[in-house]
Amino acid sequence: MTAAVVTVAFQLAGKATRDAFFLSTFGVAALPRMLIASAVVSAGLTIALARVMGRTGPSRLVPRLFLLSGALLMGEWLLAGPAPRATAILFYLHYAAFGALLVSGFWAMVSERFDPRAARGNLARITAGASLGGLLGGLLPERIGASFSVPTMLPILAALHIVAAALVRALRTTARSPSSSSHPEPAGFSSARRVFRASPYLQALAALVLLTSSAEGLLDYVFKARATGSIPDGATLLRLFAVFYTATSVLTILVQLLVLRPLLARGAVARGVALLPAGVSAGALGSLLLPGLGSVISARGIELVLRNSVFRSAYEMLFIPVSPPEKRATKLLLDVGAARVGDVAGAILVQAALVAGAASAGPLLGCTILLSLAALLVARRLHLGYVGALERSLQLQADGLGGLAQTDAATVVQSFGGLDVTLLRQNLAGAPPADTAAPRPTPASITAPMTPAEQRRLSLSDRDPDVVRQALLAGPLESDMVDAAIGFLAWDEVARDALGALDGVATAETARLVAHLLDRDEDFAVRRRLVQVFANHPSQEAFGGLVRALEDPRFEVRYRAGRALTRMVSLQPGLEIQRETVIATVLREVAVERGVWESRQLLDQVDEDWSAGEAEVVRDRATRSLEHVFTLLSLILPAETVRLAFYGIHTNDPQLRGTALEYLETVLPEPIRDRLWPFLELERRRPRDRKSGDQALEALLASRESIMVALAAVRKEAGGAHPPTG
């Protein structure tokens, strides 16, 4: 934060000094030509330094640039006495070339230090420090201008550069390494040109910077033209600019306190950058309607306050998900290069107006409004680009972990394992084993030969699981055998074979299967296992039944229905669930107490060979409740990105976790985000050790919801455990 104070202090103090020095020496008519010349010098230096930053990173380059700029300031101070006109030009070019580069380099170091989630709070704090620096940068020239000449500011600026170099160098020692493997350099990105060409998101950022800089240049010219027309004296002009920058710095701090933190807390990053062109267009329109120096000062003040508060923080946030190799190759070109192109465009418009004799405020303010409205359209599109950048960052970081098997192999599985229901029944009620069935009819009771179908039906009523298993596997089920096979889903020893038999008739018997699934009086074991039958047989009827099953009072039925729905969508993309339905379902899932949220478990092992969105989940790091919610979210959000976000919030990599949380906070509907966030924070604090089977059983038995489920199953079989019959 201290580095931000000093960095912005010299920036604003230097800007006031530059303007006062040049305008008092040459007048406002020379300003457009000087803007073009300084933009050319700045662009050339930016291109050269962008290549250096791409190779070394900002942490090495930026401190050296501060020292070099400070040395140049001392030389210009020595030259100011014998050659004031040459010094005014040199200082203008120097400030144009180095001022924005140093600030951009500082923010590049900051952006590489934080993950997207941590960046919100830290960038707001650093921006607040920058505003304090702006206040200091405004007070210094005002006091110097009251007693000394303008060149006296040059050695003071040099001292600020030296202090900033030391602070930025200290920041480098604690910064997160930018060469982290979580951000490998993408193949094919060997130059800034390729990066821009492949990234519409960066192209939109460049357009935003260019348009806002052009509008700023036009508005700034109108402001300075009216100021110099009223105050020709250099020292007085310095004091005017200093007071102006001081006042805008105070207002910037107030905006940060009242607007910035709440805005970023709501994830409205793109909205933050849109406030600048919206405010500039409104201010320029006000100046058109109410001509005079006061209205132009107000319009220029609105631009400065919004740029240095909300726009700066939101703009830097937009860069956070960009990978370090891409950021290093492009950030200087965007921050400085695109801004200088915008300055040139603005200066050309002003110069053309001067040549045409139409350099009055009206036409220039009209152009300012048009440029700002164009920038506003670009800013409104950046939200989708920001979400896409977060998605890509998640993918790059997950790929860059080098394979989970190398770091946490024991914790990663395709899907969670649960507890066997037989163990639960024995612990709760001492129920007899499932094979104590009703007596099997003896051959003596048979009075006539049986057909193979009749023999199969008879076998389906047998008490021997091997006999039943053979009957289930004897071929496709006939229609009158389907109900019997459905009933066998409650018999643990043959449930898997019953699933296989039902899988063969799932398409033909969809209506009957859906009816059993949605029948609340049906055995709970039947309903929770029946869901699996639908997963590989997508149809509109089955899909609709599973959507209705999301309202089931039993968590395991809802959990499996969500997984089956994602499976169906992956097999038949034409199947869609209404977004409002998913949102309502998620809100019901999160509207529970912490104890219920953590206690939800599965009575059966999840043994499908597929998982929601083909997602890997981290065993014992995630609750079943959260897994189910993310499964549902994958129905309305990009499934692969949701999978990566789910994985990211359960890893020990702070960068990946922060990116995942930032993505979720950006894309989740506000009602879900508000309800879900406490559970995400709870997930972060969960212990990471694996539980033994006995510990897991103890936790299950302690769960009120699970006990109710288990007791209901015991009561269902209270009359004696026996295999269900057709």
Side-chain angles (χ1 to χ4, degrees):
M1 181 173 176
T2 307
V5 172
V6 177
T7 300
V8 177
F10 89 74
Q11 183 194 30
L12 285 186
K15 182 183 292 186
T17 305
R18 176 202 66 183
D19 293 342
F21 200 176
F22 183 83
L23 292 175
S24 62
T25 304
F26 293 99
V28 72
L31 187 58
R33 295 191 297 274
M34 197 65 220
L35 281 172
I36 295 173
S38 62
V40 172
V41 173
S42 177
L45 185 61
T46 300
I47 293 173
L49 292 180
R51 296 176 180 175
V52 177
M53 185 177 288
R55 293 194 303 267
T56 66
S59 60
R60 293 185 180 181
L61 177 64
V62 175
R64 298 174 183 176
L65 288 179
F66 271 108
L67 293 176
L68 175 60
S69 181
L72 290 175
L73 282 167
M74 292 303 298
E76 290 158 3
W77 176 56
L78 296 175
L79 185 64
R85 293 175 65 86
T87 304
I89 294 174
L90 288 175
F91 178 62
Y92 201 105
L93 295 174
H94 169 200
Y95 183 86
F98 278 87
L101 277 174
L102 292 173
V103 174
S104 175
F106 167 75
W107 284 106
M109 293 179 67
V110 170
S111 66
E112 289 193 2
R113 186 178 184 184
F114 300 114
D115 63 75
R117 179 66 179 168
R120 287 198 186 189
N122 285 289
L123 282 179
R125 180 172 56 86
I126 293 171
T127 306
S131 298
L132 292 176
L135 184 60
L136 176 63
L139 290 174
L140 273 176
E142 195 280 330
R143 290 293 86 203
I144 295 299
S147 305
F148 302 97
S149 63
V150 176
T152 308
M153 276 297 300
L154 298 180
I156 297 175
L157 293 174
L160 288 174
H161 277 66
I162 295 172
V163 173
L167 292 172
V168 170
R169 185 176 179 84
L171 178 66
R172 180 184 66 177
T173 61
T174 58
R176 185 177 180 272
S177 173
S179 58
S180 169
S181 62
S182 64
H183 288 287
E185 184 171 357
F189 286 102
S190 59
S191 69
R193 181 182 299 177
R194 289 185 179 180
V195 174
F196 279 120
R197 188 178 299 169
S199 176
Y201 178 60
L202 292 177
Q203 294 171 16
L205 282 175
L208 178 69
V209 173
L210 191 152
L211 290 169
T212 55
S213 296
S214 298
E216 179 192 13
L218 292 176
L219 189 58
D220 188 57
Y221 176 83
V222 175
F223 164 60
K224 290 173 181 175
R226 289 189 174 175
T228 53
S230 303
I231 308 171
D233 176 66
T236 307
L237 201 58
L238 176 61
R239 295 188 66 189
L240 171 65
F241 290 143
V243 170
F244 172 74
Y245 291 132
T246 302
T248 55
S249 297
V250 173
L251 292 175
T252 298
I253 295 174
L254 292 176
V255 170
Q256 287 170 336
L257 293 175
L258 300 176
V259 177
L260 180 58
R261 289 182 181 275
L263 187 70
L264 294 184
R266 291 196 300 268
V269 178
R271 192 182 305 169
V273 296
L275 284 177
L276 175 63
V280 171
S281 58
L285 180 61
S287 297
L288 274 176
L289 299 177
L290 299 172
L293 179 59
S295 62
V296 174
I297 289 177
S298 298
R300 180 70 172 116
I302 290 172
E303 195 278 335
L304 273 177
V305 169
L306 291 177
R307 180 178 292 276
N308 293 330
S309 58
V310 179
F311 181 83
R312 169 55 69 181
S313 292
Y315 175 78
E316 295 299 335
M317 276 292 300
L318 292 173
F319 261 103
I320 295 294
V322 180
S323 68
E326 297 178 20
K327 192 181 304 180
R328 293 175 182 177
T330 61
K331 195 169 192 308
L332 282 182
L333 296 176
L334 279 171
D335 290 358
V336 185
R340 295 294 80 81
V341 173
D343 290 344
V344 170
I348 290 175
L349 288 174
V350 173
Q351 189 64 41
L354 288 171
V355 172
S360 61
L364 296 179
L365 290 173
C367 290
T368 302
I369 294 173
L370 293 177
L371 290 170
S372 297
L373 291 177
L376 184 60
L377 293 176
V378 174
R380 290 176 62 87
R381 297 171 50 195
L382 280 173
H383 176 74
L384 292 178
Y386 181 59
V387 173
L390 287 169
E391 292 176 355
R392 187 167 180 272
S393 180
L394 277 173
Q395 182 67 60
L396 288 175
Q397 292 176 65
D399 293 345
L401 291 179
L404 299 176
Q406 300 175 10
T407 58
D408 207 6
T411 64
V412 180
V413 289
Q414 189 69 12
S415 58
F416 278 102
L419 295 174
D420 186 82
V421 70
T422 304
L423 177 62
L424 178 64
R425 288 174 177 165
Q426 291 173 353
N427 279 274
L428 284 178
D435 62 353
T436 58
R440 179 190 176 190
T442 63
S445 65
I446 302 174
T447 59
M450 292 185 293
T451 64
E454 292 172 335
Q455 180 63 50
R456 188 181 184 190
R457 293 187 186 94
L458 181 62
S459 297
L460 288 175
S461 64
D462 201 283
R463 68 179 183 180
D464 186 342
D466 291 333
V467 174
V468 174
R469 189 176 294 113
Q470 291 178 6
L472 289 170
L473 299 177
L477 294 173
E478 296 185 14
S479 180
D480 61 351
M481 301 177 185
V482 172
D483 287 333
I486 292 174
F488 282 126
L489 294 177
W491 190 2
D492 296 339
E493 294 186 68
V494 299
R496 183 182 293 272
D497 304 287
L499 283 173
L502 291 171
D503 185 74
V505 297
T507 302
E509 299 289 345
T510 298
R512 193 187 309 191
L513 295 175
V514 169
H516 279 273
L517 173 65
L518 300 179
D519 184 1
R520 302 288 175 84
D521 293 328
E522 180 63 83
D523 191 296
F524 172 47
V526 171
R527 289 191 295 120
R528 69 175 183 260
R529 292 169 175 170
L530 187 59
V531 176
Q532 295 177 236
V533 177
F534 299 101
N536 291 313
H537 301 278
S539 69
Q540 193 62 53
E541 186 176 15
F543 192 82
L546 290 174
V547 171
R548 293 175 62 188
L550 293 176
E551 301 177 4
D552 197 278
R554 305 281 192 166
F555 172 72
E556 190 164 350
V557 174
R558 304 194 304 271
Y559 171 89
R560 293 179 181 275
R563 290 165 61 89
L565 285 169
T566 60
R567 174 65 170 175
M568 280 191 176
V569 169
S570 69
L571 295 176
Q572 188 171 321
L575 295 173
E576 293 183 357
I577 183 172
Q578 291 186 354
R579 181 181 178 89
E580 293 75 15
T581 300
V582 174
I583 292 175
T585 303
V586 172
L587 288 176
R588 286 196 302 270
E589 294 294 340
V590 298
V592 296
E593 298 178 353
R594 169 178 172 176
V596 175
W597 177 270
E598 291 190 308
S599 67
R600 287 168 172 167
Q601 296 287 343
L602 305 183
L603 299 182
D604 288 337
Q605 181 175 350
V606 181
D607 52 5
E608 301 99 321
D609 60 355
W610 48 269
S611 60
E614 302 299 325
E616 293 176 335
V617 295
V618 184
R619 177 180 290 171
D620 295 331
R621 292 192 178 188
T623 59
R624 288 291 191 178
S625 297
L626 189 66
E627 183 188 353
H628 177 50
V629 165
F630 270 73
T631 298
L632 295 174
L633 291 175
S634 70
L635 293 169
I636 58 174
L637 297 173
E640 175 65 13
T641 309
V642 170
R643 179 188 74 84
L644 292 174
F646 182 75
Y647 166 66
I649 63 177
H650 292 100
T651 65
N652 294 325
D653 186 312
Q655 183 75 13
L656 180 54
R657 175 179 168 78
T659 304
L661 290 173
E662 176 67 16
Y663 170 75
L664 293 172
E665 190 157 4
T666 303
V667 301
L668 289 180
E670 186 173 351
I672 293 179
R673 184 177 66 237
D674 294 342
R675 292 285 190 89
L676 182 61
W677 220 255
F679 293 121
L680 291 178
E681 292 299 321
L682 180 66
E683 204 81 5
R684 181 177 63 86
R685 298 191 295 269
R686 295 183 76 236
R688 302 298 175 92
D689 57 316
R690 298 174 59 120
K691 297 180 180 178
S692 66
D694 292 339
Q695 290 173 321
L697 178 59
E698 181 181 353
L700 176 60
L701 297 180
S703 163
R704 180 179 63 180
E705 184 178 82
S706 297
I707 289 176
M708 293 175 63
V709 169
L711 288 177
V714 171
R715 293 192 192 99
K716 190 92 171 181
E717 300 180 0
H722 55 82
T725 63

